[in-house]
Amino acid sequence: MRRTLQLGIPAAGVSAAIACLLGSAALAGPARHRPAARLGDAVNFISACRFSHRAPDDPIVSPAKPGLSHDHSFVGNTATNAYSTLQTLRLGSTTCQRPADTAAYWMPTLLVANKPVAPVSATIYYRRRTTDRVQPFPAGLKMIAGDSHATRPQSLRVTYWNCGAQAGTPPSSTVPTCAATRSASLRLHVNFPSCWDGKHLDSANHRSHMAYPQLGGCPSDHPVAVPSLTVIFRYPVSGGAHVELSSMGQYSGHADFFNGWDQQALRRLVDDCLNARRHCARGD
């Protein structure tokens, strides 16, 4: 059974109250131009990270099995490899502007005419998507968003391509061709679930311990609200039909997250920004 908001108003006014609280996008179904528009879009903190390295490793799907995965591009923790653990991540350095962010983030490597292209940078948004108080990710949490085996378009609320917020190119399941301007270049966006079951740091399919919120609430079997993570990789190319991912094709967008943050710093940001309903600059 899904958790419902107890608003203390007549049933006839519930929809209007929810719309006021969450914004009309939450009730209107998938929005074509803003697929991630939900509660908390304006309440966030950001981790801006540079590219670190590439490797055919995946410490979540194929731990301790180097070379078994399709190629990945890593940002954040510089020590991420097939053998990564919470302890090794804590000892690693980071490419992120926030020194306390030693988490690992990775996506399938972008290929242009079958040649790998490293992202110029990554922007990771930590947002609030529920009316419940947000808890920091537990140390060592692992999760995946998006489908690495997708051969058809995925939901635009989970992953999409565009050319940047100022380019005017709507989100798309296929790679667009971006205009040749300074502000326009190819981006891949992946949105993670933000409700945790409160028990498991991982699960057999690396997904079941997490869930997406609905109408500002977490499901009863995933009752713990955690930050809503959006990972955006920016590439130095304009896109087009000759672009694909190392996980095959253009539809298989996905991303992985392994929490290796300094927990004290993460908790401070969650409380001072997300729970305080305050947008925080990159240096906060």
Side-chain angles (χ1 to χ4, degrees), residues 42-266:
V43 179
N44 65 63
F45 62 90
I46 295 172
S47 202
C49 310
R50 303 184 314 277
F51 170 69
S52 175
H53 61 285
R54 291 191 300 110
D57 290 356
D58 191 325
I60 294 180
V61 176
S62 302
K65 296 179 180 179
L68 191 62
S69 171
H70 55 257
D71 200 69
H72 284 111
S73 293
F74 296 87
V75 303
N77 199 292
T78 59
T80 312
N81 60 35
Y83 298 99
S84 290
T85 64
L86 174 60
Q87 290 71 31
T88 63
L89 293 180
R90 288 273 176 81
L91 293 173
S93 59
T94 183
T95 66
C96 300
Q97 289 183 359
R98 297 184 184 276
D101 185 2
T102 46
Y105 312 87
W106 62 96
M107 283 191 182
T109 295
L110 190 79
L111 304 175
V112 178
N114 292 319
K115 295 183 179 180
V117 175
V120 174
S121 62
T123 303
I124 297 98
Y125 287 89
Y126 284 71
R127 294 186 172 103
R128 177 173 181 162
R129 297 292 194 202
T130 70
T131 55
D132 295 329
R133 185 174 180 83
V134 178
Q135 302 297 322
F137 295 119
L141 180 76
K142 303 173 184 178
M143 61 177 173
I144 299 174
D147 183 358
S148 63
H149 302 291
T151 58
R152 297 179 180 180
Q154 300 184 59
S155 169
L156 295 181
R157 290 189 176 273
V158 176
T159 183
Y160 63 90
W161 304 89
N162 75 358
C163 300
Q166 307 304 316
T169 305
S172 174
S173 295
T174 55
V175 174
T177 299
C178 303
T181 66
R182 180 175 298 181
S183 61
S185 63
L186 185 64
R187 272 91 159 166
L188 178 58
H189 300 238
V190 177
N191 296 310
F192 283 78
S194 57
C195 296
W196 177 45
D197 67 8
K199 301 175 182 178
H200 304 100
L201 297 180
D202 198 3
S203 50
N205 63 0
H206 316 294
R207 302 170 187 277
S208 298
H209 60 304
M210 304 298 300
Y212 288 92
Q214 295 187 359
L215 293 178
C218 284
S220 59
D221 54 354
H222 293 76
V224 182
V226 293
S228 174
L229 210 62
T230 297
V231 178
I232 306 170
F233 275 24
R234 181 169 66 89
Y235 302 97
V237 297
S238 60
H242 57 295
V243 174
E244 64 177 357
L245 295 167
S246 60
S247 47
M248 300 299 291
Q250 298 186 354
Y251 297 136
S252 60
H254 63 284
D256 299 57
F257 169 71
F258 192 156
N259 181 28
W261 269 85
D262 177 308
Q263 284 295 117
Q264 183 176 356
L266 179 59

